[in-house]
Amino acid sequence: MKHQNVPVSQDQMLMQKLPRRAFLRYAGLGSVGITALMMAASCHKDHNSSPSAEEVTLGSGDVGILNYAYALEQLEAAFYTQVVQTPYSGITDMELSFFTDIRDHEIAHREFFKAALSTNAIASLQFDFSSINFSSRSSVIATAKAFEDLGVSAYNGAGVYLQTPDYLTLAGKIVSVEARHAAYLRELVMTDTFVDTDVVDQNGLDLSRKPSEVLAIAKTYIKTQINSQLP
């Protein structure tokens, strides 16, 4: 029996660029997209093995942008891990289930960037969540909503700086997941409020922020000094 030639997807092309060990770790991404990566990384969801750093430098070009995204995914993964480990008072089974799903998504995103960057990846960051009351539903949901909105605006603003089409394709897949998170969190605040005018303009376009703008906001929660030459 002759084997038919199957077109290679952009996801598969990117995975071919990863170290062999990373490719084996995340095998299946090409066939079902980023969802499979989320499932694969869930088994690593309680830790990030790299030593924490007091100062990191993102780098330039695609490496700089990927490290920038990696830093933001570290932040979100750490936040949602804390939410699930110490659920707020009165949390419902449905809410805990959804927060667990979001945590697993963010960890999958984090681990993907770590694998894609390989030896160019920045070290694990240190975080300061002292301003967040994890026992309060309103505090947790408000922070989660802010993080997701920030993440969406970050990916929207970073895409223009990516030079490799494969990375841009995957960034698009990740930002769509972040937007789904943001919509769900708004539903937790009030039904039928899946979008706000503060993030979507009159033309139906979502907010976009430059890396420097995003990092200025995120630094409230990041103890590690991030050195960035990104716009």
Side-chain angles (χ1 to χ4, degrees), residues 35-49:
T35 302
L37 177 61
M38 296 172 186
M39 297 297 294
S42 63
C43 62
H44 308 287
K45 60 191 175 186
D46 292 326
H47 67 280
N48 189 350
S49 57

PDB file of all heavy atoms in Angstrom, residues 35-49:
ATOM      1  N   THR A  35      -5.168  22.830  21.658  1.00  0.00           N
ATOM      2  CA  THR A  35      -5.950  22.115  22.661  1.00  0.00           C
ATOM      3  C   THR A  35      -5.204  20.899  23.164  1.00  0.00           C
ATOM      4  O   THR A  35      -5.195  20.597  24.360  1.00  0.00           O
ATOM      5  CB  THR A  35      -7.307  21.689  22.096  1.00  0.00           C
ATOM      6  OG1 THR A  35      -8.002  22.844  21.661  1.00  0.00           O
ATOM      7  CG2 THR A  35      -8.136  20.971  23.149  1.00  0.00           C
ATOM      8  N   ALA A  36      -4.554  20.173  22.263  1.00  0.00           N
ATOM      9  CA  ALA A  36      -3.798  19.001  22.672  1.00  0.00           C
ATOM     10  C   ALA A  36      -2.647  19.392  23.572  1.00  0.00           C
ATOM     11  O   ALA A  36      -2.301  18.674  24.511  1.00  0.00           O
ATOM     12  CB  ALA A  36      -3.266  18.263  21.445  1.00  0.00           C
ATOM     13  N   LEU A  37      -2.021  20.529  23.299  1.00  0.00           N
ATOM     14  CA  LEU A  37      -0.931  21.006  24.143  1.00  0.00           C
ATOM     15  C   LEU A  37      -1.417  21.282  25.543  1.00  0.00           C
ATOM     16  O   LEU A  37      -0.742  20.991  26.530  1.00  0.00           O
ATOM     17  CB  LEU A  37      -0.327  22.268  23.531  1.00  0.00           C
ATOM     18  CG  LEU A  37       0.788  22.937  24.333  1.00  0.00           C
ATOM     19  CD1 LEU A  37       1.956  21.989  24.492  1.00  0.00           C
ATOM     20  CD2 LEU A  37       1.225  24.202  23.649  1.00  0.00           C
ATOM     21  N   MET A  38      -2.637  21.834  25.664  1.00  0.00           N
ATOM     22  CA  MET A  38      -3.202  22.098  26.980  1.00  0.00           C
ATOM     23  C   MET A  38      -3.314  20.810  27.785  1.00  0.00           C
ATOM     24  O   MET A  38      -3.010  20.759  28.973  1.00  0.00           O
ATOM     25  CB  MET A  38      -4.590  22.727  26.831  1.00  0.00           C
ATOM     26  CG  MET A  38      -4.584  24.078  26.160  1.00  0.00           C
ATOM     27  SD  MET A  38      -6.255  24.612  25.815  1.00  0.00           S
ATOM     28  CE  MET A  38      -5.922  26.113  24.894  1.00  0.00           C
ATOM     29  N   MET A  39      -3.760  19.753  27.129  1.00  0.00           N
ATOM     30  CA  MET A  39      -3.916  18.473  27.811  1.00  0.00           C
ATOM     31  C   MET A  39      -2.553  17.897  28.181  1.00  0.00           C
ATOM     32  O   MET A  39      -2.354  17.363  29.266  1.00  0.00           O
ATOM     33  CB  MET A  39      -4.669  17.500  26.909  1.00  0.00           C
ATOM     34  CG  MET A  39      -6.085  17.934  26.582  1.00  0.00           C
ATOM     35  SD  MET A  39      -7.129  18.036  28.059  1.00  0.00           S
ATOM     36  CE  MET A  39      -7.183  16.299  28.514  1.00  0.00           C
ATOM     37  N   ALA A  40      -1.589  18.021  27.268  1.00  0.00           N
ATOM     38  CA  ALA A  40      -0.267  17.455  27.506  1.00  0.00           C
ATOM     39  C   ALA A  40       0.429  18.104  28.684  1.00  0.00           C
ATOM     40  O   ALA A  40       1.100  17.440  29.465  1.00  0.00           O
ATOM     41  CB  ALA A  40       0.603  17.611  26.260  1.00  0.00           C
ATOM     42  N   ALA A  41       0.266  19.403  28.818  1.00  0.00           N
ATOM     43  CA  ALA A  41       0.966  20.131  29.881  1.00  0.00           C
ATOM     44  C   ALA A  41       0.280  20.005  31.229  1.00  0.00           C
ATOM     45  O   ALA A  41       0.856  20.353  32.247  1.00  0.00           O
ATOM     46  CB  ALA A  41       1.097  21.593  29.519  1.00  0.00           C
ATOM     47  N   SER A  42      -0.949  19.488  31.268  1.00  0.00           N
ATOM     48  CA  SER A  42      -1.677  19.421  32.529  1.00  0.00           C
ATOM     49  C   SER A  42      -0.968  18.535  33.544  1.00  0.00           C
ATOM     50  O   SER A  42      -1.098  18.720  34.749  1.00  0.00           O
ATOM     51  CB  SER A  42      -3.107  18.916  32.302  1.00  0.00           C
ATOM     52  OG  SER A  42      -3.091  17.598  31.803  1.00  0.00           O
ATOM     53  N   CYS A  43      -0.181  17.577  33.064  1.00  0.00           N
ATOM     54  CA  CYS A  43       0.532  16.700  33.987  1.00  0.00           C
ATOM     55  C   CYS A  43       1.695  17.424  34.651  1.00  0.00           C
ATOM     56  O   CYS A  43       2.271  16.933  35.612  1.00  0.00           O
ATOM     57  CB  CYS A  43       1.027  15.456  33.269  1.00  0.00           C
ATOM     58  SG  CYS A  43       2.209  15.778  31.943  1.00  0.00           S
ATOM     59  N   HIS A  44       2.046  18.612  34.158  1.00  0.00           N
ATOM     60  CA  HIS A  44       3.126  19.406  34.757  1.00  0.00           C
ATOM     61  C   HIS A  44       2.577  20.620  35.487  1.00  0.00           C
ATOM     62  O   HIS A  44       3.306  21.539  35.809  1.00  0.00           O
ATOM     63  CB  HIS A  44       4.081  19.902  33.662  1.00  0.00           C
ATOM     64  CG  HIS A  44       4.582  18.830  32.764  1.00  0.00           C
ATOM     65  ND1 HIS A  44       5.507  17.900  33.154  1.00  0.00           N
ATOM     66  CD2 HIS A  44       4.255  18.522  31.483  1.00  0.00           C
ATOM     67  CE1 HIS A  44       5.758  17.070  32.146  1.00  0.00           C
ATOM     68  NE2 HIS A  44       4.997  17.422  31.127  1.00  0.00           N
ATOM     69  N   LYS A  45       1.290  20.622  35.780  1.00  0.00           N
ATOM     70  CA  LYS A  45       0.604  21.853  36.136  1.00  0.00           C
ATOM     71  C   LYS A  45       0.948  22.446  37.491  1.00  0.00           C
ATOM     72  O   LYS A  45       0.572  23.570  37.770  1.00  0.00           O
ATOM     73  CB  LYS A  45      -0.909  21.627  36.072  1.00  0.00           C
ATOM     74  CG  LYS A  45      -1.412  20.541  37.013  1.00  0.00           C
ATOM     75  CD  LYS A  45      -2.853  20.199  36.676  1.00  0.00           C
ATOM     76  CE  LYS A  45      -3.377  19.035  37.503  1.00  0.00           C
ATOM     77  NZ  LYS A  45      -4.708  18.619  37.073  1.00  0.00           N
ATOM     78  N   ASP A  46       1.656  21.748  38.331  1.00  0.00           N
ATOM     79  CA  ASP A  46       1.896  22.273  39.664  1.00  0.00           C
ATOM     80  C   ASP A  46       3.283  22.865  39.850  1.00  0.00           C
ATOM     81  O   ASP A  46       3.635  23.272  40.930  1.00  0.00           O
ATOM     82  CB  ASP A  46       1.665  21.169  40.712  1.00  0.00           C
ATOM     83  CG  ASP A  46       0.213  20.772  40.793  1.00  0.00           C
ATOM     84  OD1 ASP A  46      -0.640  21.658  40.604  1.00  0.00           O
ATOM     85  OD2 ASP A  46      -0.075  19.595  41.031  1.00  0.00           O
ATOM     86  N   HIS A  47       4.073  22.904  38.766  1.00  0.00           N
ATOM     87  CA  HIS A  47       5.396  23.479  38.966  1.00  0.00           C
ATOM     88  C   HIS A  47       6.006  23.911  37.644  1.00  0.00           C
ATOM     89  O   HIS A  47       5.632  23.475  36.583  1.00  0.00           O
ATOM     90  CB  HIS A  47       6.332  22.468  39.636  1.00  0.00           C
ATOM     91  CG  HIS A  47       6.666  21.290  38.760  1.00  0.00           C
ATOM     92  ND1 HIS A  47       5.804  20.226  38.598  1.00  0.00           N
ATOM     93  CD2 HIS A  47       7.742  21.035  37.981  1.00  0.00           C
ATOM     94  CE1 HIS A  47       6.354  19.343  37.761  1.00  0.00           C
ATOM     95  NE2 HIS A  47       7.522  19.812  37.372  1.00  0.00           N
ATOM     96  N   ASN A  48       6.969  24.791  37.761  1.00  0.00           N
ATOM     97  CA  ASN A  48       7.793  25.176  36.626  1.00  0.00           C
ATOM     98  C   ASN A  48       9.217  24.952  37.095  1.00  0.00           C
ATOM     99  O   ASN A  48       9.689  25.614  38.005  1.00  0.00           O
ATOM    100  CB  ASN A  48       7.554  26.645  36.272  1.00  0.00           C
ATOM    101  CG  ASN A  48       8.225  27.037  34.981  1.00  0.00           C
ATOM    102  OD1 ASN A  48       9.011  26.281  34.433  1.00  0.00           O
ATOM    103  ND2 ASN A  48       7.905  28.229  34.501  1.00  0.00           N
ATOM    104  N   SER A  49       9.902  23.979  36.495  1.00  0.00           N
ATOM    105  CA  SER A  49      11.135  23.454  37.071  1.00  0.00           C
ATOM    106  C   SER A  49      12.327  24.403  36.997  1.00  0.00           C
ATOM    107  O   SER A  49      13.316  24.199  37.687  1.00  0.00           O
ATOM    108  CB  SER A  49      11.505  22.133  36.380  1.00  0.00           C
ATOM    109  OG  SER A  49      11.628  22.323  34.988  1.00  0.00           O
TER     110      SER A  49
END
